[in-house]
Every structure is written in C-alpha cells, then in structure tokens.
Amino acid sequence: MVWDELDRRVKAKGPTSAKHLWELLQDCWKTIPGDYLLKLIKRMPRVCKAVIKAKDNRSCIRCPRDQWPNGNNQCAPKETEFLSYTDDSITLIITLIVIFLFLKTSFILGIFTLFRDTPVVKASNQSLSFLLLVSIMLSFLCIFLFLDHPTRVTCMLRQTLFGIIFSVAISSILAKTIMVYSAFKASKPGRNCRKCIGVKITNCLVFVCSFTQVVLCIIWLSTVPPFPENNFDLYEDKIVLLQCNEGSIVAFSIILGYIGILAAVSFLVAFLARNLPDSFNEAKYITFSMLVVCSVWVAFIPAYLSVTGKSSVLVEIFAILSSSVGILACIFYPKCYIIILRPDLNSKDNLLKRKA
C-alpha cells in the first residue's frame, strides 16, 4: 500500500527528528511515480472486498512479499512468471526453432565434411569453417540456458558461455578474413609466406581472441557473478522468477563490447578485401555477415534497455538467433548452393579462371 511504500522510503533515509521526518515524508511522497499510485487505485476494490469478506478483522496479518491475500483471510503464494516449458507457448516455439537450426547447421557441417576435398571447401579453409560451424551450433544450444526457471548455475553460464562461444565464432571469421586477404597478397611474385599465414597466424589469432574473452569471463564470475533473484516490484500480483541479476552491468557490457569490437574489425578487414578476384571473394560474404551481426547487436542495446521481465530474455534470444543465422546464411549458404546444385562450378579450373 501507499503507507507501506512511504514507510520503506522514509526509513531508508533515517529521519533524525520529527521535523526531519515530516520533510522526508513530503519529499518521498513527491518521488512516488504516478503509475504506482494508479496501480494501487485499481487494486483497492479487490483489497476492500478481501477485507469485507474476512471473518475476523482482528486476525488480519500482513502477508509476506511472496504471498497475496486470497479473499479468504489467508495468504496464498503469488503467481510466478518465467519462460516455462509447460505454461508458455513461446518457449515451445523457441525450442523447436533452436532444434531446427541446430539440425540445419549439423547438415551443413556434414556437407562440408563429405566434400572437404573439393575446391570450394578447401578455398574457405577447412579447419576454420569446421570451427565456425561448431561454434554456431553451440550458440544455438546456449539459448536453452535462457529458458525455464533460472538457477544460479544457468544465470552464471548464460552470458559467459555464449560470450566465449560467440567470440570463437567471430575470431574464426576474423581469421578467415585475414587469411583471404593475406593469401591473395602472398600469391604475388616474391611472396613465399602463404603457408605461414594460413596456419600459424590464423590459429594464433583465434586462440588469442578467444582466450581474452575467457579471461574476461573468469574475472566477471570471480568478482561479481550473476545470480537469480525474485523481482517483487515489476508486477503487483506476480513475482518474476526468471530474472537473472547480471551482478555487474559493466562486466556484462565489456563481454558484449568485446564481441562487438571483434565483429567491427572483421567487417573492416572484409570490406577492404571485398574487391579481390572472385576466387577469393569470401570476403564479400563475410562483409554481409558482419554487417548483420553488428546491426543486430546495435539494435539489441536500446531494445534490451526498454523492456523488462521475460521480454528482456526474449530480446536477447532473438539477438542470438538472428546473428547466428546471419553468419550461417551469408557465409555457408552460397557454398552449399555450389556444392549441391552447381557442382560444375566446384572445380579447381573454374575457381582459377574466375576474375573480378
């Protein structure tokens, strides 16, 4: 009620005298949002009916914060809200989408494995392509950490595990981009470092970029780890149990910001290499994929900050799905098209004679 809210706010400021108490009471009253008062007004008929129906007014007690008067002079548990597998149809839809995308990515991985000795697969760097596909598959599976009742383990893993896996994916794309550009430069007369560029530098780059994200996540979990919490203030008659407190908004921002930096660098390098001959034109597809990733996560920030409750979880799930599908479609769909539908283009002679 209003007086309970005023009492909590006044006590939090610690009045020292009756005059100070009156001043704090006036100040706290001005800070109560109009929406909160409107919700209280709408609740009044229901509360009044519950009081009238009470058999013994002398037995009235204040219900705990996780309970609600049910009109029978009893305190009943409040309704809980989270992305439940049993009560929310959207959770079932997300699960089916994730399973479908996981199987689709597995199918593409099988195609690349089966045709690993063909020119198209070799030209895209087999090891980095396999690593990227596995990372995308694991990114899809990370979405299950955002569903159902949150626990301490899922809250700690949902952001950090996705951050590490997606960093591996973006690092692989960055390594592929650098390799495309460097391989073309190394193929010019007088350049004999193509093997070094293709193996040592790219592998080291993926390891360093991914390991940096691992270190950042370890620091986050060891200092201010995320934890589950009950939000009593979002609704008047519900508890939001799905909510994971990130522990530190700064740490959460650093994890996402690091992914954004990797994506921006990949986009920049791929954009610079977009005019290479067609046999090395994977940079064009990488440019489009990084454009999708950057657009999705830039739009994610205002959307995430403008919603609450399970809607914020849905926004992040949508961002993960969109960015992962964007990478999968832009980089691997064209190659699958050539491998399956245009095998005549999947030849060494064809790749070598195609020019920009």
Side-chain angles (χ1 to χ4, degrees), residues 133-249:
L133 285 170
V134 172
S135 300
I136 294 175
M137 293 169 61
L138 294 178
S139 295
F140 289 139
L141 294 181
C142 283
I143 292 177
F144 288 114
L145 294 174
F146 293 82
L147 303 178
D148 208 27
H149 194 292
T151 63
R152 187 172 185 83
V153 174
T154 57
C155 285
M156 293 177 65
L157 291 180
R158 59 166 58 173
Q159 304 295 354
T160 55
L161 192 59
F162 167 73
I164 294 172
I165 291 174
F166 207 66
S167 294
V168 174
I170 303 298
S171 301
S172 302
I173 295 175
L174 178 59
K176 286 167 71 70
T177 309
I178 294 177
M179 191 193 71
V180 168
Y181 184 78
S182 302
F184 176 74
K185 295 297 183 182
S187 63
K188 291 184 177 181
R191 305 287 183 88
N192 298 317
C193 57
R194 185 169 183 174
K195 183 177 180 180
C196 175
I197 293 173
V199 178
K200 296 182 179 180
I201 294 182
T202 55
N203 292 343
C204 181
L205 180 64
V206 173
F207 175 78
V208 171
C209 293
S210 304
F211 185 73
T212 301
Q213 185 75 298
V214 172
V215 172
L216 293 175
C217 290
I218 291 175
I219 295 175
W220 183 11
L221 294 179
S222 61
T223 53
V224 279
F227 59 90
E229 67 174 2
N230 297 336
N231 191 329
F232 296 95
D233 302 320
L234 186 58
Y235 301 107
E236 292 299 329
D237 56 349
K238 295 180 181 178
I239 306 174
V240 183
L241 292 178
L242 63 90
Q243 185 165 317
C244 281
N245 190 313
E246 306 303 344
S248 172
I249 298 298

Side-chain angles (χ1 to χ4, degrees), residues 1-2 4 36 38-55 57 60-63 67-74 78 236-237:
M1 304 298 284
V2 178
D4 294 332
Y36 181 80
L38 183 61
K39 290 180 181 179
L40 290 178
I41 293 174
K42 292 181 179 179
R43 284 176 49 198
M44 288 179 64
R46 182 169 52 180
V47 175
C48 291
K49 288 181 181 179
V51 175
I52 293 173
K53 290 182 180 180
K55 296 180 180 179
N57 291 334
C60 289
I61 58 173
R62 178 181 295 179
C63 293
Q67 296 182 2
W68 183 261
N70 61 1
N72 296 323
N73 203 26
Q74 296 177 344
K78 291 183 179 180
E236 292 299 329
D237 56 349

Side-chain angles (χ1 to χ4, degrees), residues 30-154:
K30 296 178 182 178
T31 60
I32 295 180
D35 293 341
Y36 181 80
L37 296 176
L38 183 61
K39 290 180 181 179
L40 290 178
I41 293 174
K42 292 181 179 179
R43 284 176 49 198
M44 288 179 64
R46 182 169 52 180
V47 175
C48 291
K49 288 181 181 179
V51 175
I52 293 173
K53 290 182 180 180
K55 296 180 180 179
D56 186 1
N57 291 334
R58 292 173 296 177
S59 63
C60 289
I61 58 173
R62 178 181 295 179
C63 293
R65 296 194 70 187
D66 60 344
Q67 296 182 2
W68 183 261
N70 61 1
N72 296 323
N73 203 26
Q74 296 177 344
C75 293
K78 291 183 179 180
E79 180 185 352
T80 58
E81 181 184 82
F82 54 93
L83 290 175
S84 172
Y85 283 111
T86 57
D87 299 331
D88 281 313
S89 58
I90 187 65
T91 305
L92 178 60
I93 295 174
I94 292 174
T95 302
L96 294 177
I97 292 175
V98 170
I99 294 175
F100 170 75
L101 292 175
F102 178 82
L103 294 177
K104 192 173 186 178
T105 310
S106 302
F107 177 72
I108 294 176
L109 179 61
I111 292 176
F112 268 63
T113 303
L114 184 62
F115 294 90
R116 61 185 178 274
D117 295 327
T118 59
V120 168
V121 178
K122 287 183 176 181
S124 63
N125 192 302
Q126 296 177 2
S127 59
L128 290 179
S129 295
F130 292 155
L131 179 60
L132 179 55
L133 285 170
V134 172
S135 300
I136 294 175
M137 293 169 61
L138 294 178
S139 295
F140 289 139
L141 294 181
C142 283
I143 292 177
F144 288 114
L145 294 174
F146 293 82
L147 303 178
D148 208 27
H149 194 292
T151 63
R152 187 172 185 83
V153 174
T154 57

